[in-house]
Amino acid sequence: KPFLKDRLYVTPPWMEVEFAPTDYTKLFDAIQSRVSELTDGEVIDYDRIYADIEQDARDFTIRATDADQWSSAPVIQEVEKRIGVWEIVAYNNTYQRMTPGMTELMALVKNRRFRHHGNPLARACFDSVEVRRAPYDPELIRPDKPDRGRDGKRIDAVPSSAMACSAWKRDPLPEQAQRSSRKVIVSS
């Protein structure tokens, strides 16, 4: 059975804008149980993210990795260096690239096999997302990104989860194929 470890990192200023005061209790519960991560300051602390990924690499066998290509080359290089996986698949969120992961993710959600462990950030993202079909091929899909300024919604957990599903469905990395698959994480 696959295990998806999906951490969502937030900063205090982001919380104040995105969550009403009545939602703080749920958000802080998620942070306490480490399904969401609060970083100090105005911007995400990437050293914290790198340290968490390194710990995950010690705790789990990493079989495949996908990442959003947009402005992430330095992050991908640092993760590769720290965990010794050199096959991170980075791509733009196009219809062709997102369809396999979105199809699998939608099946997991519809069959109640996708669990976000009560993470209010993930719930908000999944509640806000809409699926867009390619005008030239209705079989191709991707998450439709809302206008954050106008709608006040975010969907970050959805493309991340779809990329993780895509990585999970691919063959494991060649150097990882012989390792035990008892503990597995598919990351994006």
Side-chain angles (χ1 to χ4, degrees):
K1 212 175 196 185
F3 175 70
L4 167 67
K5 187 166 194 164
D6 193 10
R7 286 195 188 99
L8 303 173
Y9 293 84
V10 297
T11 61
W14 184 86
M15 285 175 33
E16 292 169 11
V17 171
E18 298 291 332
F19 275 84
T22 55
D23 293 332
Y24 280 160
T25 303
K26 288 179 185 176
L27 183 56
F28 280 114
D29 287 347
I31 290 166
Q32 286 292 95
S33 63
R34 294 197 49 114
V35 294
S36 290
E37 304 288 338
L38 180 64
T39 64
D40 293 329
E42 301 279 322
V43 296
I44 296 295
D45 177 2
Y46 279 89
D47 287 330
R48 165 82 179 280
I49 293 172
Y50 299 143
D52 287 345
I53 292 170
E54 284 179 295
Q55 184 61 51
D56 289 341
R58 287 189 291 273
D59 294 342
F60 299 92
T61 300
I62 297 179
R63 293 188 48 187
T65 57
D66 278 22
D68 189 335
Q69 184 175 347
W70 193 83
S71 296
S72 62
V75 173
I76 291 169
Q77 291 169 1
E78 185 65 24
V79 169
E80 288 174 333
K81 181 176 79 177
R82 288 178 180 234
I83 65 172
V85 171
W86 306 104
E87 302 276 338
I88 294 177
V89 178
Y91 49 86
N92 290 324
N93 293 340
T94 62
Y95 288 110
Q96 287 81 6
R97 295 306 303 230
M98 294 300 289
T99 295
M102 282 294 292
T103 301
E104 186 64 33
L105 179 61
M106 288 178 8
L108 290 171
V109 170
K110 287 179 183 178
N111 292 317
R112 299 183 182 271
R113 293 187 58 224
F114 183 82
R115 303 278 189 261
H116 58 67
H117 306 286
N119 187 329
L121 295 174
R123 177 177 291 281
C125 290
F126 276 83
D127 285 347
S128 297
V129 74
E130 292 182 20
V131 174
R132 177 175 285 192
R133 295 193 178 280
Y136 53 89
D137 184 349
E139 297 297 313
L140 297 176
I141 59 174
R142 67 175 174 80
D144 192 23
K145 193 172 189 175
D147 181 337
R148 291 180 190 166
R150 185 189 71 216
D151 300 332
K153 296 178 179 179
R154 297 188 66 109
I155 62 164
D156 303 60
V158 178
S160 173
S161 297
M163 286 186 285
C165 286
S166 182
W168 164 50
K169 297 308 281 184
R170 280 197 324 272
D171 290 335
L173 299 174
E175 66 273 9
Q176 301 292 331
Q178 301 304 315
R179 293 178 66 182
S180 165
S181 62
R182 190 170 64 83
K183 291 185 176 180
V184 176
I185 183 169
V186 178
S187 66
S188 68

